[in-house]
């Protein structure tokens, strides 16, 4: 009876190492070394393979079938390169050349194909197979790390997302501070655009105000590349425009096309932007009291530059502008009304002072507050003199009771 002892046993975890078997006579082993080795290899969950020096597969253990869905007979006698993902072939061949030189390269990860067409990720190890002092091929192990790789990628994406979220919050906070620091957005609009650009790519960022009663859209603010007819102060028809769709639906709109004719048929007002190089855009409604008062636009020269994630970021930026635009509109409206009142007051003052009729203003005690030129001419008083008098001193004591 014999038993087999390995001086550097075949590893179940980690790098495959060349084993050196020593056969010792014993009374307890029920099988020989070859059978033990075969049973061990066939029971492993990792794929064990052997290759000739030209890369032909000469043996595979049962784990290969469970992992890939292929039968062993379908690949034994074929080159292992046929299973490797095309993009990973150069690095795999480089490692195999090292093996043929008698070297043992460190484990490396590569993609390979399953029978279902799914890309699997394996951790490959390979050691030279030596016969009569010459390398005649390779022996190796493939450990399936697909799930681990996916988990690592998910964790990495999660970390990236958390990092972007923290960055986005900081940027949005700063943008909000700048927006609400002034009633004149022109003063800070360029700085706002710079901050937003670090969060969301665009080649042009603009805010258009919606005048539903007048049926028009007014470009209010703009930063980035110039689009003819869409500079601050320019206006275009609301009817048939993409802005009308956003206004009607009160929801964002993403337009990404490289077909000019398609754009002409859908939204002719966007053709100047297309001709200026714009290929992608996101439009976000700016709401005040459930009414669309404007639209925030991000436009890019890149085809298909935006995704749902960018749309959500754009909505976050838009929400900051909503209150500010409404506040600015109220402030602007108040200024306009104050100007109108001043104009009306000026007109009435002109009428008061220039009329040929005597007009005067007094308080409840009869003190003169103001008089026009006709009154001064009739009474022959200067303005300072009459404003120091009371109505009773002009009317006379006999008529004062009736005037009162």
């Amino acid at each position: 009876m014999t038993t087999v002892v390995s001086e550097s046993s075949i590893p179940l975890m980690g790098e495959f190492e060349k084993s050196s078997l020593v056969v010792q006579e014993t009374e307890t082993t029920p099988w020989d070394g070859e059978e033990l080795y075969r049973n061990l290899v066939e029971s492993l969950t990792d794929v064990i393979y052997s290759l000739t020096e030209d890369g032909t597969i000469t043996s595979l253990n049962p784990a290969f079938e469970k992992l890939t869905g292929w039968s062993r007979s379908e690949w034994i006698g074929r080159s292992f390169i046929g299973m490797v993902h095309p993009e990973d072939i150069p690095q795999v061949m480089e490692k195999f050349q090292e093996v043929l030189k008698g070297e043992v390269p460190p484990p490396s990860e590569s993609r390979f194909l399953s029978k279902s067409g799914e890309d699997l990720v394996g951790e490959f190890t390979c050691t030279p197979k030596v016969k009569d002092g010459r390398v005649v091929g390779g022996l190796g192990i493939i450990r399936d790390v697909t799930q681990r790789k996916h988990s690592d990628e998910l964790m990495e994406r999660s970390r990236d997302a958390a990092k972007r979220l923290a960055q986005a919050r900081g940027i949005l906070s700063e943008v909000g501070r700048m927006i609400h620091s002034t009633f004149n957005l022109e003063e800070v609009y360029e700085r706002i655009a710079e901050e937003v650009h670090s969060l969301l790519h665009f080649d042009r960022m603009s805010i258009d105000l919606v005048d539903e009663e007048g049926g028009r859209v007014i470009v209010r603010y703009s930063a980035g590349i110039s689009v003819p007819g869409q500079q601050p102060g320019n206006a275009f028809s609301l009817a048939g425009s993409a802005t009308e769709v956003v206004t009607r639906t009160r929801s964002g709109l993403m337009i990404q096309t490289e077909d000019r004719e398609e754009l002409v048929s859908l939204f002719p007002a966007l053709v100047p932007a297309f001709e200026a190089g714009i290929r992608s855009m996101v439009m976000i409604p700016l709401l005040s009291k459930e009414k669309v008062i404007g639209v925030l636009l991000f436009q890019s020269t890149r085809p298909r530059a935006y995704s749902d994630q960018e749309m959500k970021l754009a909505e976050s930026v838009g929400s900051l502008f909503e209150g500010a635009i409404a506040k600015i509109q109220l402030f602007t409206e108040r200024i306009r009304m104050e100007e109108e009142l001043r104009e009306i007051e000026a007109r009435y003052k002109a009428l008061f002072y220039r009329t040929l009729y005597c007009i005067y203003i007094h308080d409840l005690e009869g003190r003169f507050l103001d008089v026009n030129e006709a009154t001064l001419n009739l009474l022959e008083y200067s303005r300072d003199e009459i404003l120091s008098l009371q109505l009773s001193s002009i009317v006379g004591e006999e008529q004062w009771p009736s005037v009162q």
Side-chain angles (χ1 to χ4, degrees), residues 353-364:
Y353 287 119
R354 295 174 185 173
T355 183
L356 298 177
Y357 295 98
C358 293
I359 303 176
Y360 56 86
I361 302 172
H362 63 82
D363 62 17
L364 295 178

Side-chain angles (χ1 to χ4, degrees), residues 19-79:
S19 60
S20 175
L21 300 179
V22 178
V23 180
Q24 298 178 346
E25 293 296 326
T26 176
E27 298 297 324
T28 59
T29 305
W31 49 60
D32 61 21
E34 182 180 351
E35 184 178 356
L36 172 62
Y37 178 77
R38 184 176 62 252
N39 282 314
L40 176 62
V41 168
E42 292 188 354
S43 67
L44 292 176
T45 56
D46 293 338
V47 176
I48 307 295
Y49 64 91
S50 62
L51 308 171
T52 63
E53 56 189 326
D54 65 358
T56 300
I57 300 172
T58 56
S59 67
L60 292 164
N61 69 338
F64 172 84
E65 297 180 341
K66 184 176 181 180
L67 175 61
T68 68
W70 302 101
S71 66
R72 286 178 285 177
S73 61
E74 289 180 275
W75 279 96
I76 292 177
R78 295 171 60 182
S79 172

Side-chain angles (χ1 to χ4, degrees), residues 67-269:
L67 175 61
T68 68
W70 302 101
S71 66
R72 286 178 285 177
S73 61
E74 289 180 275
W75 279 96
I76 292 177
R78 295 171 60 182
S79 172
F80 76 96
I81 290 299
M83 291 193 67
V84 179
H85 191 285
E87 294 179 1
D88 293 348
I89 289 176
Q91 77 167 24
V92 170
M93 286 302 299
E94 182 182 350
K95 297 290 184 183
F96 188 55
Q97 291 302 316
E98 292 177 14
V99 171
L100 296 180
K101 292 177 183 178
E103 302 173 5
V104 181
S108 62
E109 292 182 359
S110 299
R111 291 167 292 176
F112 60 100
L113 303 176
S114 66
K115 190 170 186 177
S116 67
E118 177 189 3
D119 283 344
L120 302 175
V121 182
E123 183 182 74
F124 287 75
T125 58
C126 193
T127 189
K129 182 168 67 174
V130 180
K131 184 176 182 180
D132 298 329
R134 186 176 70 87
V135 177
V136 295
L139 300 170
I141 297 176
I142 304 173
R143 171 160 299 130
D144 180 23
V145 295
T146 307
Q147 290 301 321
R148 188 192 75 191
K149 195 71 174 176
H150 287 173
S151 297
D152 289 346
E153 289 174 355
L154 286 173
M155 288 182 65
E156 185 64 26
R157 285 200 294 269
S158 178
R159 284 193 292 267
D160 287 346
K163 184 177 179 180
R164 287 196 302 271
L165 180 59
Q167 180 188 27
R169 285 174 176 167
I171 292 172
L172 291 174
S173 176
E174 176 61 15
V175 169
R177 186 195 65 77
M178 287 191 289
I179 287 174
H180 294 283
S181 67
T182 179
F183 282 104
N184 185 3
L185 271 184
E186 283 94 342
E187 295 177 348
V188 294
Y189 191 76
E190 288 291 340
R191 287 169 50 209
I192 291 171
E194 289 177 8
E195 287 287 338
V196 174
H197 196 274
S198 63
L199 179 66
L200 181 67
H201 166 76
F202 63 84
D203 293 299
R204 182 174 184 267
M205 170 180 159
S206 64
I207 295 177
D208 297 346
L209 301 184
V210 177
D211 177 12
E212 285 195 81
E213 293 183 1
R216 61 179 185 158
V217 180
I218 305 165
V219 182
R220 187 67 178 86
Y221 309 100
S222 178
I225 65 175
S226 176
V227 176
Q230 295 187 14
Q231 298 305 302
N234 293 154
F236 56 90
S237 176
L238 177 63
S241 68
T243 304
E244 182 186 34
V245 175
V246 174
T247 301
R248 184 178 68 252
T249 61
R250 294 191 300 174
S251 59
L253 180 65
M254 190 184 302
I255 301 172
Q256 305 191 102
T257 181
E258 297 183 70
D259 188 339
R260 184 183 186 280
E261 297 309 312
E262 179 185 26
L263 200 62
V264 169
S265 64
L266 292 174
F267 306 115

Side-chain angles (χ1 to χ4, degrees), residues 8-23:
S8 56
S9 60
I10 298 174
L12 297 183
M13 300 291 286
E15 181 180 344
F16 176 79
E17 300 176 11
K18 183 178 177 183
S19 60
S20 175
L21 300 179
V22 178
V23 180

